[in-house]
């Protein structure tokens, strides 16, 4: 499969979605305190901790990073499932929260989410007709048109019209994910968060679902925030890729640029582990030393400094900001690292 090549982020293009210093912190319940936090009084999980990003019409922004770095929380917050602790999300220039915010009904129609495990996200007691019917209702589809609409959606995602009265358990994993995609499409959205949509599927089925998502993007001009821990998948499907570490974006760039010339030591280490994709990077595999710090008590200064082999005194003291790389041919490439910013 070729890497996504279309340039979707020309400077004159207005973003569909913007996050402004977005934070989502969770307060840990008293009953869980002992388990997670022996000896500390801190109760806040800084799952998403200051994200500024833009997603443009028709583009796929891949979001990668180790498990627990905040990808799902960010995905849920940008579609309004979680209320931010601080900051905001703007969708088509309207804030999701606060004064002048976009109506829930419009947001529910225009921003959808596809989950990792289609089985648990589809009501097992509902037929496909009912599952998609709920989404069609949100779009205000007339009863008389619902069957034809549902059949059209099923066909579009590669299912058959006679699947309409079956239950989720009667399908394979790949087919269930197709139902999840049909349900997301039913509201006629502009933006879809795909949260690890391939990780419960076999490799051959993964490729089919990627092709389906790419075809739908082309046809409907959809924008995706594609969450994955798999850098090979991100490479194939994304126009740009953002790398997350402990609640923050540490590097973001167009896909080719990021994979050919990763600048952040964390991105370099992640990419060095997948030689099949990273034919450009012929160096040794870089092992990241040390344990992953918790988002309850992230390290002071640069959050990655405890595991970074290039760590300097400034890294322990001062938090670097996510700033554009100052090289003309690296347009749109930003990193959060003192090495490149000092
Ligand atoms: P990822 O998707 O990258 O694996 P998550 O967004 O699921 O990461 O989680 C980020 C951090 O937030 C993790 O430490 C996780 O345990 C914590 N977290 C996620 N959801 C909740 C919640 N509802 N309550 C408390 N902590 C949470």
């Amino acid at each position: 499969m070729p890497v996504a090549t279309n340039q979707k982020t020309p400077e004159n293009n207005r973003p569909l979605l913007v996050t402004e210093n977005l934070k989502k912190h969770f307060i840990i319940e008293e009953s869980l305190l002992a388990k997670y936090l022996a000896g500390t009084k801190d109760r806040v999980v800084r799952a998403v901790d200051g994200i500024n990003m833009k997603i443009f019409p028709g583009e796929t922004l891949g979001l990668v990073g180790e498990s627990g770095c905040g990808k799902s929380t960010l995905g849920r917050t940008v579609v309004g499932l979680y209320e931010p602790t601080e900051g905001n999300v703007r969708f088509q220039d309207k804030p999701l929260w606060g004064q002048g915010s976009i109506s829930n009904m419009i947001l529910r129609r225009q921003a959808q989410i596809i989950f990792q495990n289609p089985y648990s996200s589809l009501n097992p007691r509902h037929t496909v007709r009912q599952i998609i019917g709920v989404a069609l209702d949100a779009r205000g589809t007339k009863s008389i048109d619902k069957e034809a609409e549902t059949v059209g959606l099923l066909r579009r995602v590669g299912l058959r019209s006679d699947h309409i009265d079956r239950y989720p358990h009667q399908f394979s994993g790949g087919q269930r994910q197709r139902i999840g995609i049909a349900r997301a499409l039913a509201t006629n959205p502009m933006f879809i968060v795909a949260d690890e949509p391939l990780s419960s599927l076999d490799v051959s089925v993964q490729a089919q679902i990627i092709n389906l998502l790419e075809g739908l993007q082309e046809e409907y001009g959809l924008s995706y925030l594609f969450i994955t821990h798999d850098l090979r998948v991100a490479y194939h499907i994304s126009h740009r890729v953002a790398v997350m570490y402990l609640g923050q974006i540490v590097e973001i760039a167009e896909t080719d640029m990021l994979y050919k010339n990763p600048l952040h030591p964390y991105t370099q280490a992640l990419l060095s582990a997948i030689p099949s994709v990273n034919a450009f990077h012929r160096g040794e595999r870089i092992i990241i030393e040390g344990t992953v710090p918790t988002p309850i008590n992230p390290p002071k200064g640069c959050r990655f400094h405890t595991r970074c082999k290039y760590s300097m005194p400034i890294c322990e003291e001062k938090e670097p900001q996510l700033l554009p790389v100052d090289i003309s041919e690296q347009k749109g490439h930003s990193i959060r690292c003192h090495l490149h910013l000092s």
Side-chain angles (χ1 to χ4, degrees), residues 193-256:
V193 171
D195 188 357
E196 299 271 9
L198 310 177
S199 48
S200 63
L201 307 175
D202 291 344
V203 174
S204 60
V205 182
Q206 290 187 1
Q208 293 168 15
I209 298 292
I210 289 185
N211 286 339
L212 173 62
L213 290 171
E214 286 179 331
L216 294 170
Q217 178 168 63
E218 190 115 316
E219 192 172 337
Y220 300 113
L222 292 166
S223 303
Y224 296 131
L225 177 64
F226 195 98
I227 298 173
T228 177
H229 63 275
D230 187 332
L231 280 109
R232 274 169 294 211
V233 168
Y235 178 73
H236 286 304
I237 199 161
S238 312
H239 300 98
R240 289 186 301 142
V241 173
V243 181
M244 236 180 133
Y245 186 77
L246 278 183
Q248 300 181 331
I249 290 177
V250 296
E251 184 160 11
I252 183 166
E254 282 173 20
T255 306
D256 256 347

Side-chain angles (χ1 to χ4, degrees), residues 26-28 45 47 65-74 82 195 227 295:
F26 298 105
I27 308 294
I28 303 172
V45 183
E66 289 163 296
S67 172
C69 69
K71 303 182 296 297
S72 287
T73 305
L74 177 58
Y82 289 149
D195 188 357
I227 298 173

Side-chain angles (χ1 to χ4, degrees), residues 47 66 87 105 116 153 194 204 222 246 253 256 289 294 315 330 338:
E66 289 163 296
M105 213 171 70
Q116 170 175 353
L153 284 164
S204 60
L222 292 166
L246 278 183
D256 256 347
E289 304 286 345
T294 105
C315 307
Q330 303 273 17
H338 288 301

Side-chain angles (χ1 to χ4, degrees), residues 300-302 313-320 338:
K300 197 171 157 235
C302 170
I314 189 176
C315 307
E316 295 171 30
E317 292 301 325
K318 191 173 166 202
E319 182 167 56
H338 288 301

